[in-house]
Structures are given as C-alpha cells and as structure tokens.
Amino acid sequence: MRQNYIDQYKKELNIEIEQLLAKNNLAANALNYELLVKNTANFVEGLGEAALENQVDLVIMGTRGAGGIKKIFLGSNTVKVIEQAPCAVLAIPANWNKFNCNSMAFA
C-alpha cells in the first residue's frame, strides 16, 4: 500500500514538473532532476541525509508563512533546512507563480 502511495506521489510530481517546464517554454530535458523518497520521521533531518547520500548541490523548496519573528517570511521547515542543509538552498516564496530565470542576483 505504501509503495503505491509513493509511486502515485512521484507520478503527480513529475506531471507538475513537466507542466512547469512547458509553462516556461523549456524542453522536457531542460532540467536534470531526480525525485527522492526517504522514509523518515523528521523532514529536515531526512532531507539533509538524502542530500548527503546523493551528493545534492542544491535544494529548491517552497515557503509558507509560519509563526515567530524569524518565520514571518519563511515556513519553519524552510528555515530549518536553510540552517542545517549540507548544501545550498533556494527558497521560492509560496505566492510566486511564475518561474522565469533569465538573470540571478547573488547577495
């Protein structure tokens, strides 16, 4: 049963990624990615472990508003991942609805 859920989730995520690429006029092979599923009780620790195990260079994740001063703009998991990840983290605001990366700013 659990494997069926994981397979369905991966299928839905792949569809969303394909739609994102199409929306931004990118070829299906324009993005090299792999969906990883890790069974863990702690999301942040599990993500860090998966990043290390798979030599991940960049984690891209969305944000959601949560409580607290530090978490006004970022969700609590996002803040924890940024603080603890073994690699770079790109946090995309929850209300951002277009992804058009023609230029970047490094700060």
Side-chain angles (χ1 to χ4, degrees):
M1 178 70 172
R2 183 169 175 84
Q3 188 60 44
N4 289 341
Y5 172 77
I6 291 170
D7 291 343
Q8 180 62 32
Y9 188 65
K10 281 184 165 183
K11 182 179 177 181
E12 291 172 10
L13 285 174
N14 276 313
I15 291 169
E16 286 186 37
I17 290 169
E18 289 171 8
Q19 290 173 343
L20 176 66
L21 291 171
K23 180 179 175 183
N24 289 283
N25 298 317
L26 296 170
N29 63 353
L31 180 65
N32 182 16
Y33 70 94
E34 181 179 355
L35 294 174
L36 304 172
V37 176
K38 184 164 184 76
N39 186 10
T40 179
N42 183 304
F43 169 77
V44 176
E45 289 177 12
L47 182 59
E49 290 170 5
L52 283 173
E53 291 167 4
N54 295 280
Q55 300 177 340
V56 170
D57 297 315
L58 175 66
V59 169
I60 302 173
M61 63 186 300
T63 64
R64 288 198 174 87
I69 302 291
K70 192 174 187 181
K71 298 167 190 157
I72 289 174
F73 299 105
L74 300 176
S76 59
N77 280 333
T78 307
V79 170
K80 290 176 187 173
V81 169
I82 289 170
E83 290 173 343
Q84 299 176 27
C87 61
V89 178
L90 175 60
I92 308 294
N95 62 350
W96 189 253
N97 60 4
K98 88 174 192 180
F99 184 79
N100 194 356
C101 190
N102 294 319
S103 60
M104 291 185 188
F106 294 92

